[in-house]
Amino acid sequence: MLVGLSDVFHIPQLTVAVTWSREHALWTPKQWSCAMFSEESRFSSQSDSRRTLMWRAPGTRYHQENTNERNRYGGAGWPVWGQIILGSRTDLHVQSVTMTGHIYRDVILDQHVRLFRGAMGAYFLFMNDNARPHRENIVDECLQSEYITCMDWPAYSPDFHPIEHVWDMLCRRLVARQPPSTCLLELQGHCLMIGVKFL
């Protein structure tokens, strides 16, 4: 079955996404080198997709050889934050508690983003997604006080986000790692170790 853009986006979202794409299609590498992309992803000790693709004969869906027992809830995990910019990156940050606007400001913005903004100067653009902690008033006030310009980003458009490719590759390496992580502290260490080597 083919899925069209109108099946993924509602018409207003599609219009915004197409407009954004057209506005940025001709940006030069120099312009993109001033844009920092920030995003979080959750990593757990379980498989990332929990899907097993296989061919089976019609009518054999529930035969023993075609079933696989698994943990329905996927186990515990860590949210990991990272920021990338053309030719550079920040260190990964593993967050062990729920992210709030205060924590986002104090940890991500103050310890990572503000330093890059100082080095890049007035042309620096910051892109974070539309997650609730990123849109709190305290975060907006911090961005304004530090003269950090935020890039407009269409809602529900993760496919435009280049850091999603980083998360995908990091996740693949975590899943392929032998021996696999057996607890949250090992998972945290493996995320940071693979992130340092890979990124």
Side-chain angles (χ1 to χ4, degrees):
M1 179 174 135
L2 294 176
V3 177
L5 284 176
S6 61
D7 297 327
V8 178
F9 290 105
H10 297 292
I11 297 302
Q13 295 165 348
L14 179 60
T15 303
V16 170
V18 169
T19 302
W20 188 93
S21 297
R22 287 181 179 154
E23 289 172 358
H24 295 85
L26 299 178
W27 271 29
T28 65
K30 184 175 182 178
Q31 288 172 299
W32 283 115
S33 70
C34 295
M36 173 180 271
F37 296 89
S38 176
E39 174 76 321
E40 73 283 345
S41 189
R42 183 172 187 79
F43 294 96
S44 72
S45 56
Q46 302 290 324
S47 169
D48 58 336
S49 70
R50 294 193 296 277
R51 290 184 180 178
T52 304
L53 302 178
M54 60 184 285
W55 179 90
R56 58 181 165 72
T60 63
R61 180 176 190 170
Y62 297 109
H63 287 191
Q64 183 63 35
E65 64 272 10
N66 293 336
T67 59
N68 189 11
E69 189 174 332
R70 64 178 180 239
N71 180 351
R72 182 175 178 168
Y73 298 102
W78 294 105
V80 179
W81 263 261
Q83 293 82 30
I84 60 171
I85 195 165
L86 196 61
S88 190
R89 65 172 176 84
T90 65
D91 292 331
L92 293 179
H93 173 76
V94 179
Q95 182 69 31
S96 60
V97 297
T98 302
M99 182 61 75
T100 64
H102 289 279
I103 295 172
Y104 184 73
R105 179 198 60 188
D106 296 342
V107 175
I108 304 301
L109 296 181
D110 282 350
Q111 295 179 20
H112 299 288
V113 177
R114 188 174 51 85
L115 300 176
F116 268 82
R117 194 301 185 191
M120 301 285 300
Y123 296 107
F124 179 77
L125 286 172
F126 181 60
M127 198 306 299
N128 58 9
D129 61 16
N130 295 314
R132 184 170 291 153
H134 306 169
R135 296 294 169 237
E136 289 186 15
N137 289 336
I138 193 166
V139 171
D140 289 338
E141 291 168 6
C142 176
L143 292 170
Q144 289 174 7
S145 70
E146 295 291 335
Y147 301 104
I148 296 174
T149 305
C150 286
M151 179 184 282
D152 290 329
W153 198 252
Y156 305 107
S157 55
D159 52 328
F160 292 156
H161 209 316
I163 203 168
E164 292 294 338
H165 301 291
V166 174
W167 295 139
D168 182 55
M169 288 185 266
L170 181 60
C171 188
R172 289 173 191 263
R173 290 192 182 196
L174 279 172
V175 169
R177 191 176 194 296
Q178 293 298 325
S181 305
T182 57
C183 67
L184 287 178
L185 289 177
E186 276 186 18
L187 178 66
Q188 178 183 14
H190 293 161
C191 278
L192 295 174
M193 182 177 63
I194 292 171
V196 167
K197 289 180 182 176
F198 170 66
L199 301 174

mmCIF file of all heavy atoms in Angstrom, residues 40-48 50 71 73-81 93-99 171 174 181-191:
data_model
loop_
_atom_site.group_PDB
_atom_site.id
_atom_site.type_symbol
_atom_site.label_atom_id
_atom_site.label_comp_id
_atom_site.label_asym_id
_atom_site.label_seq_id
_atom_site.Cartn_x
_atom_site.Cartn_y
_atom_site.Cartn_z
ATOM 1 N N GLU A 40 15.900 14.819 21.299
ATOM 2 C CA GLU A 40 16.071 13.746 22.263
ATOM 3 C C GLU A 40 15.501 12.464 21.672
ATOM 4 O O GLU A 40 14.662 12.489 20.787
ATOM 5 C CB GLU A 40 15.387 14.060 23.591
ATOM 6 C CG GLU A 40 13.890 13.974 23.589
ATOM 7 C CD GLU A 40 13.204 15.169 22.943
ATOM 8 O OE1 GLU A 40 13.832 16.212 22.732
ATOM 9 O OE2 GLU A 40 12.014 15.027 22.621
ATOM 10 N N SER A 41 16.014 11.362 22.195
ATOM 11 C CA SER A 41 15.491 10.062 21.805
ATOM 12 C C SER A 41 15.573 9.166 23.029
ATOM 13 O O SER A 41 16.379 9.392 23.928
ATOM 14 C CB SER A 41 16.304 9.473 20.654
ATOM 15 O OG SER A 41 15.678 8.319 20.153
ATOM 16 N N ARG A 42 14.732 8.160 23.065
ATOM 17 C CA ARG A 42 14.718 7.240 24.208
ATOM 18 C C ARG A 42 15.335 5.919 23.781
ATOM 19 O O ARG A 42 14.978 5.368 22.746
ATOM 20 C CB ARG A 42 13.292 7.024 24.693
ATOM 21 C CG ARG A 42 13.209 6.147 25.905
ATOM 22 C CD ARG A 42 11.783 6.132 26.464
ATOM 23 N NE ARG A 42 11.730 5.442 27.703
ATOM 24 C CZ ARG A 42 12.091 5.949 28.886
ATOM 25 N NH1 ARG A 42 12.517 7.177 28.951
ATOM 26 N NH2 ARG A 42 12.023 5.228 29.983
ATOM 27 N N PHE A 43 16.265 5.440 24.589
ATOM 28 C CA PHE A 43 16.918 4.166 24.323
ATOM 29 C C PHE A 43 16.614 3.218 25.466
ATOM 30 O O PHE A 43 16.638 3.606 26.627
ATOM 31 C CB PHE A 43 18.434 4.357 24.191
ATOM 32 C CG PHE A 43 18.815 5.157 22.992
ATOM 33 C CD1 PHE A 43 19.035 6.510 23.095
ATOM 34 C CD2 PHE A 43 18.921 4.560 21.755
ATOM 35 C CE1 PHE A 43 19.371 7.268 21.993
ATOM 36 C CE2 PHE A 43 19.260 5.298 20.644
ATOM 37 C CZ PHE A 43 19.478 6.659 20.755
ATOM 38 N N SER A 44 16.314 1.979 25.116
ATOM 39 C CA SER A 44 16.047 0.972 26.143
ATOM 40 C C SER A 44 16.872 -0.266 25.845
ATOM 41 O O SER A 44 17.455 -0.393 24.761
ATOM 42 C CB SER A 44 14.555 0.614 26.192
ATOM 43 O OG SER A 44 14.196 -0.147 25.078
ATOM 44 N N SER A 45 16.921 -1.162 26.801
ATOM 45 C CA SER A 45 17.710 -2.374 26.622
ATOM 46 C C SER A 45 17.009 -3.382 25.721
ATOM 47 O O SER A 45 17.583 -4.395 25.360
ATOM 48 C CB SER A 45 18.025 -3.009 27.978
ATOM 49 O OG SER A 45 16.823 -3.253 28.676
ATOM 50 N N GLN A 46 15.760 -3.096 25.345
ATOM 51 C CA GLN A 46 15.026 -3.955 24.424
ATOM 52 C C GLN A 46 15.272 -3.503 22.983
ATOM 53 O O GLN A 46 15.786 -2.421 22.742
ATOM 54 C CB GLN A 46 13.524 -3.892 24.720
ATOM 55 C CG GLN A 46 13.152 -4.300 26.122
ATOM 56 C CD GLN A 46 13.351 -5.772 26.359
ATOM 57 O OE1 GLN A 46 13.131 -6.577 25.474
ATOM 58 N NE2 GLN A 46 13.777 -6.130 27.563
ATOM 59 N N SER A 47 14.862 -4.294 22.025
ATOM 60 C CA SER A 47 15.004 -3.953 20.619
ATOM 61 C C SER A 47 14.266 -2.654 20.321
ATOM 62 O O SER A 47 13.273 -2.324 20.948
ATOM 63 C CB SER A 47 14.427 -5.081 19.760
ATOM 64 O OG SER A 47 14.319 -4.676 18.419
ATOM 65 N N ASP A 48 14.743 -1.917 19.327
ATOM 66 C CA ASP A 48 14.129 -0.636 19.005
ATOM 67 C C ASP A 48 12.766 -0.782 18.353
ATOM 68 O O ASP A 48 11.874 0.004 18.595
ATOM 69 C CB ASP A 48 15.053 0.207 18.114
ATOM 70 C CG ASP A 48 15.413 -0.486 16.816
ATOM 71 O OD1 ASP A 48 15.359 -1.724 16.782
ATOM 72 O OD2 ASP A 48 15.756 0.218 15.863
ATOM 73 N N ARG A 50 10.987 -4.048 17.872
ATOM 74 C CA ARG A 50 10.259 -5.224 18.332
ATOM 75 C C ARG A 50 9.417 -5.849 17.233
ATOM 76 O O ARG A 50 8.433 -6.499 17.492
ATOM 77 C CB ARG A 50 9.415 -4.899 19.575
ATOM 78 C CG ARG A 50 10.240 -4.556 20.771
ATOM 79 C CD ARG A 50 9.428 -4.545 22.026
ATOM 80 N NE ARG A 50 8.394 -3.555 22.083
ATOM 81 C CZ ARG A 50 8.560 -2.300 22.424
ATOM 82 N NH1 ARG A 50 9.743 -1.840 22.679
ATOM 83 N NH2 ARG A 50 7.544 -1.477 22.498
ATOM 84 N N ASN A 71 8.299 -8.973 25.910
ATOM 85 C CA ASN A 71 7.829 -8.048 26.930
ATOM 86 C C ASN A 71 7.018 -6.956 26.246
ATOM 87 O O ASN A 71 7.528 -6.215 25.413
ATOM 88 C CB ASN A 71 9.033 -7.439 27.664
ATOM 89 C CG ASN A 71 8.614 -6.470 28.747
ATOM 90 O OD1 ASN A 71 7.443 -6.113 28.868
ATOM 91 N ND2 ASN A 71 9.572 -6.058 29.540
ATOM 92 N N TYR A 73 5.848 -4.124 27.268
ATOM 93 C CA TYR A 73 6.117 -2.728 27.589
ATOM 94 C C TYR A 73 7.535 -2.278 27.264
ATOM 95 O O TYR A 73 7.873 -1.132 27.440
ATOM 96 C CB TYR A 73 5.786 -2.455 29.059
ATOM 97 C CG TYR A 73 4.331 -2.690 29.312
ATOM 98 C CD1 TYR A 73 3.895 -3.854 29.927
ATOM 99 C CD2 TYR A 73 3.375 -1.789 28.864
ATOM 100 C CE1 TYR A 73 2.545 -4.086 30.127
ATOM 101 C CE2 TYR A 73 2.029 -2.013 29.055
ATOM 102 C CZ TYR A 73 1.625 -3.164 29.687
ATOM 103 O OH TYR A 73 0.298 -3.399 29.866
ATOM 104 N N GLY A 74 8.394 -3.164 26.804
ATOM 105 C CA GLY A 74 9.689 -2.753 26.285
ATOM 106 C C GLY A 74 10.773 -2.461 27.304
ATOM 107 O O GLY A 74 11.890 -2.188 26.953
ATOM 108 N N GLY A 75 10.499 -2.495 28.570
ATOM 109 C CA GLY A 75 11.516 -2.286 29.576
ATOM 110 C C GLY A 75 11.852 -0.823 29.797
ATOM 111 O O GLY A 75 11.407 0.066 29.094
ATOM 112 N N ALA A 76 12.668 -0.606 30.803
ATOM 113 C CA ALA A 76 13.059 0.760 31.157
ATOM 114 C C ALA A 76 14.110 1.279 30.184
ATOM 115 O O ALA A 76 14.760 0.520 29.481
ATOM 116 C CB ALA A 76 13.600 0.773 32.580
ATOM 117 N N GLY A 77 14.266 2.578 30.157
ATOM 118 C CA GLY A 77 15.252 3.174 29.261
ATOM 119 C C GLY A 77 15.642 4.561 29.727
ATOM 120 O O GLY A 77 15.196 5.043 30.767
ATOM 121 N N TRP A 78 16.500 5.201 28.945
ATOM 122 C CA TRP A 78 16.991 6.540 29.231
ATOM 123 C C TRP A 78 16.684 7.464 28.070
ATOM 124 O O TRP A 78 16.945 7.127 26.922
ATOM 125 C CB TRP A 78 18.508 6.539 29.400
ATOM 126 C CG TRP A 78 19.042 5.807 30.568
ATOM 127 C CD1 TRP A 78 19.660 4.586 30.543
ATOM 128 C CD2 TRP A 78 19.066 6.228 31.924
ATOM 129 N NE1 TRP A 78 20.056 4.233 31.802
ATOM 130 C CE2 TRP A 78 19.706 5.230 32.674
ATOM 131 C CE3 TRP A 78 18.604 7.364 32.589
ATOM 132 C CZ2 TRP A 78 19.901 5.314 34.038
ATOM 133 C CZ3 TRP A 78 18.804 7.453 33.947
ATOM 134 C CH2 TRP A 78 19.447 6.441 34.662
ATOM 135 N N PRO A 79 16.203 8.680 28.357
ATOM 136 C CA PRO A 79 16.157 9.689 27.305
ATOM 137 C C PRO A 79 17.563 10.280 27.123
ATOM 138 O O PRO A 79 18.249 10.550 28.106
ATOM 139 C CB PRO A 79 15.183 10.744 27.820
ATOM 140 C CG PRO A 79 14.841 10.373 29.211
ATOM 141 C CD PRO A 79 15.512 9.086 29.558
ATOM 142 N N VAL A 80 17.987 10.432 25.889
ATOM 143 C CA VAL A 80 19.313 10.954 25.570
ATOM 144 C C VAL A 80 19.135 12.192 24.701
ATOM 145 O O VAL A 80 18.378 12.165 23.735
ATOM 146 C CB VAL A 80 20.158 9.896 24.828
ATOM 147 C CG1 VAL A 80 21.530 10.441 24.463
ATOM 148 C CG2 VAL A 80 20.290 8.630 25.663
ATOM 149 N N TRP A 81 19.823 13.268 25.064
ATOM 150 C CA TRP A 81 19.773 14.511 24.289
ATOM 151 C C TRP A 81 21.086 14.703 23.570
ATOM 152 O O TRP A 81 22.150 14.393 24.087
ATOM 153 C CB TRP A 81 19.541 15.715 25.202
ATOM 154 C CG TRP A 81 18.130 16.127 25.281
ATOM 155 C CD1 TRP A 81 17.533 17.139 24.593
ATOM 156 C CD2 TRP A 81 17.113 15.542 26.077
ATOM 157 N NE1 TRP A 81 16.206 17.207 24.914
ATOM 158 C CE2 TRP A 81 15.917 16.236 25.833
ATOM 159 C CE3 TRP A 81 17.085 14.490 26.971
ATOM 160 C CZ2 TRP A 81 14.734 15.922 26.446
ATOM 161 C CZ3 TRP A 81 15.901 14.173 27.591
ATOM 162 C CH2 TRP A 81 14.745 14.885 27.331
ATOM 163 N N HIS A 93 23.831 13.887 26.310
ATOM 164 C CA HIS A 93 23.410 14.056 27.709
ATOM 165 C C HIS A 93 22.330 13.023 28.005
ATOM 166 O O HIS A 93 21.300 12.985 27.341
ATOM 167 C CB HIS A 93 22.859 15.468 27.939
ATOM 168 C CG HIS A 93 22.280 15.625 29.303
ATOM 169 N ND1 HIS A 93 23.059 15.767 30.429
ATOM 170 C CD2 HIS A 93 21.003 15.614 29.725
ATOM 171 C CE1 HIS A 93 22.281 15.857 31.478
ATOM 172 N NE2 HIS A 93 21.026 15.758 31.083
ATOM 173 N N VAL A 94 22.601 12.166 28.977
ATOM 174 C CA VAL A 94 21.627 11.155 29.392
ATOM 175 C C VAL A 94 20.860 11.711 30.585
ATOM 176 O O VAL A 94 21.442 12.120 31.579
ATOM 177 C CB VAL A 94 22.321 9.832 29.768
ATOM 178 C CG1 VAL A 94 21.301 8.807 30.226
ATOM 179 C CG2 VAL A 94 23.116 9.299 28.584
ATOM 180 N N GLN A 95 19.535 11.754 30.452
ATOM 181 C CA GLN A 95 18.664 12.348 31.471
ATOM 182 C C GLN A 95 17.965 11.229 32.235
ATOM 183 O O GLN A 95 17.246 10.442 31.648
ATOM 184 C CB GLN A 95 17.641 13.259 30.794
ATOM 185 C CG GLN A 95 16.712 13.966 31.724
ATOM 186 C CD GLN A 95 17.434 15.006 32.552
ATOM 187 O OE1 GLN A 95 18.406 15.599 32.124
ATOM 188 N NE2 GLN A 95 16.955 15.210 33.757
ATOM 189 N N SER A 96 18.180 11.179 33.557
ATOM 190 C CA SER A 96 17.592 10.087 34.339
ATOM 191 C C SER A 96 16.242 10.447 34.945
ATOM 192 O O SER A 96 15.594 9.595 35.535
ATOM 193 C CB SER A 96 18.561 9.665 35.443
ATOM 194 O OG SER A 96 18.821 10.764 36.291
ATOM 195 N N VAL A 97 15.809 11.704 34.816
ATOM 196 C CA VAL A 97 14.502 12.111 35.329
ATOM 197 C C VAL A 97 13.716 12.753 34.190
ATOM 198 O O VAL A 97 14.265 13.077 33.147
ATOM 199 C CB VAL A 97 14.622 13.104 36.518
ATOM 200 C CG1 VAL A 97 15.314 12.455 37.696
ATOM 201 C CG2 VAL A 97 15.356 14.364 36.100
ATOM 202 N N THR A 98 12.435 12.939 34.414
ATOM 203 C CA THR A 98 11.586 13.545 33.400
ATOM 204 C C THR A 98 12.062 14.955 33.087
ATOM 205 O O THR A 98 12.329 15.747 33.986
ATOM 206 C CB THR A 98 10.123 13.587 33.890
ATOM 207 O OG1 THR A 98 9.719 12.252 34.186
ATOM 208 C CG2 THR A 98 9.216 14.189 32.838
ATOM 209 N N MET A 99 12.163 15.265 31.810
ATOM 210 C CA MET A 99 12.614 16.585 31.383
ATOM 211 C C MET A 99 11.519 17.612 31.611
ATOM 212 O O MET A 99 10.374 17.417 31.225
ATOM 213 C CB MET A 99 12.994 16.549 29.906
ATOM 214 C CG MET A 99 13.537 17.863 29.366
ATOM 215 S SD MET A 99 15.052 18.440 30.157
ATOM 216 C CE MET A 99 16.259 17.340 29.456
ATOM 217 N N CYS A 171 21.086 3.801 17.665
ATOM 218 C CA CYS A 171 20.220 2.715 18.111
ATOM 219 C C CYS A 171 20.639 1.385 17.493
ATOM 220 O O CYS A 171 20.692 0.360 18.168
ATOM 221 C CB CYS A 171 18.771 3.036 17.773
ATOM 222 S SG CYS A 171 17.613 1.860 18.482
ATOM 223 N N LEU A 174 23.662 0.162 19.292
ATOM 224 C CA LEU A 174 23.337 -0.348 20.630
ATOM 225 C C LEU A 174 22.722 -1.738 20.546
ATOM 226 O O LEU A 174 23.044 -2.619 21.345
ATOM 227 C CB LEU A 174 22.370 0.601 21.341
ATOM 228 C CG LEU A 174 22.971 1.828 21.996
ATOM 229 C CD1 LEU A 174 21.857 2.751 22.485
ATOM 230 C CD2 LEU A 174 23.883 1.444 23.144
ATOM 231 N N SER A 181 23.388 -4.592 26.646
ATOM 232 C CA SER A 181 23.212 -3.956 27.965
ATOM 233 C C SER A 181 22.214 -4.762 28.775
ATOM 234 O O SER A 181 21.164 -5.148 28.278
ATOM 235 C CB SER A 181 22.693 -2.538 27.786
ATOM 236 O OG SER A 181 23.534 -1.803 26.947
ATOM 237 N N THR A 182 22.548 -5.006 30.042
ATOM 238 C CA THR A 182 21.644 -5.795 30.889
ATOM 239 C C THR A 182 20.945 -4.952 31.942
ATOM 240 O O THR A 182 20.008 -5.417 32.571
ATOM 241 C CB THR A 182 22.421 -6.922 31.587
ATOM 242 O OG1 THR A 182 23.487 -6.332 32.348
ATOM 243 C CG2 THR A 182 22.974 -7.905 30.573
ATOM 244 N N CYS A 183 21.421 -3.729 32.166
ATOM 245 C CA CYS A 183 20.778 -2.851 33.139
ATOM 246 C C CYS A 183 20.872 -1.406 32.651
ATOM 247 O O CYS A 183 21.577 -1.104 31.686
ATOM 248 C CB CYS A 183 21.410 -3.000 34.525
ATOM 249 S SG CYS A 183 23.108 -2.403 34.605
ATOM 250 N N LEU A 184 20.164 -0.513 33.330
ATOM 251 C CA LEU A 184 20.121 0.882 32.886
ATOM 252 C C LEU A 184 21.483 1.573 32.955
ATOM 253 O O LEU A 184 21.817 2.370 32.084
ATOM 254 C CB LEU A 184 19.093 1.657 33.704
ATOM 255 C CG LEU A 184 17.639 1.335 33.386
ATOM 256 C CD1 LEU A 184 16.718 2.127 34.307
ATOM 257 C CD2 LEU A 184 17.317 1.637 31.940
ATOM 258 N N LEU A 185 22.283 1.268 33.968
ATOM 259 C CA LEU A 185 23.596 1.905 34.067
ATOM 260 C C LEU A 185 24.518 1.467 32.929
ATOM 261 O O LEU A 185 25.266 2.283 32.385
ATOM 262 C CB LEU A 185 24.233 1.616 35.423
ATOM 263 C CG LEU A 185 23.567 2.328 36.607
ATOM 264 C CD1 LEU A 185 24.231 1.927 37.919
ATOM 265 C CD2 LEU A 185 23.603 3.833 36.434
ATOM 266 N N GLU A 186 24.452 0.185 32.560
ATOM 267 C CA GLU A 186 25.226 -0.277 31.407
ATOM 268 C C GLU A 186 24.744 0.405 30.134
ATOM 269 O O GLU A 186 25.544 0.818 29.303
ATOM 270 C CB GLU A 186 25.101 -1.795 31.241
ATOM 271 C CG GLU A 186 26.031 -2.595 32.080
ATOM 272 C CD GLU A 186 25.942 -4.075 31.760
ATOM 273 O OE1 GLU A 186 25.416 -4.448 30.685
ATOM 274 O OE2 GLU A 186 26.396 -4.868 32.596
ATOM 275 N N LEU A 187 23.431 0.512 29.987
ATOM 276 C CA LEU A 187 22.863 1.163 28.808
ATOM 277 C C LEU A 187 23.329 2.609 28.720
ATOM 278 O O LEU A 187 23.714 3.087 27.654
ATOM 279 C CB LEU A 187 21.339 1.098 28.847
ATOM 280 C CG LEU A 187 20.608 1.770 27.698
ATOM 281 C CD1 LEU A 187 20.889 1.053 26.390
ATOM 282 C CD2 LEU A 187 19.105 1.792 27.974
ATOM 283 N N GLN A 188 23.320 3.311 29.849
ATOM 284 C CA GLN A 188 23.790 4.697 29.871
ATOM 285 C C GLN A 188 25.248 4.768 29.429
ATOM 286 O O GLN A 188 25.622 5.589 28.592
ATOM 287 C CB GLN A 188 23.636 5.279 31.270
ATOM 288 C CG GLN A 188 24.146 6.706 31.381
ATOM 289 C CD GLN A 188 24.056 7.240 32.804
ATOM 290 O OE1 GLN A 188 23.868 6.489 33.746
ATOM 291 N NE2 GLN A 188 24.191 8.539 32.935
ATOM 292 N N GLY A 189 26.083 3.907 29.971
ATOM 293 C CA GLY A 189 27.506 3.892 29.604
ATOM 294 C C GLY A 189 27.714 3.569 28.140
ATOM 295 O O GLY A 189 28.535 4.192 27.462
ATOM 296 N N HIS A 190 26.955 2.606 27.625
ATOM 297 C CA HIS A 190 27.088 2.232 26.219
ATOM 298 C C HIS A 190 26.629 3.363 25.298
ATOM 299 O O HIS A 190 27.247 3.609 24.262
ATOM 300 C CB HIS A 190 26.307 0.950 25.931
ATOM 301 C CG HIS A 190 26.874 -0.254 26.615
ATOM 302 N ND1 HIS A 190 26.152 -1.400 26.812
ATOM 303 C CD2 HIS A 190 28.077 -0.493 27.172
ATOM 304 C CE1 HIS A 190 26.884 -2.291 27.455
ATOM 305 N NE2 HIS A 190 28.066 -1.761 27.682
ATOM 306 N N CYS A 191 25.544 4.055 25.666
ATOM 307 C CA CYS A 191 25.079 5.201 24.863
ATOM 308 C C CYS A 191 26.178 6.247 24.750
ATOM 309 O O CYS A 191 26.483 6.737 23.660
ATOM 310 C CB CYS A 191 23.845 5.850 25.492
ATOM 311 S SG CYS A 191 22.301 5.041 25.135
#
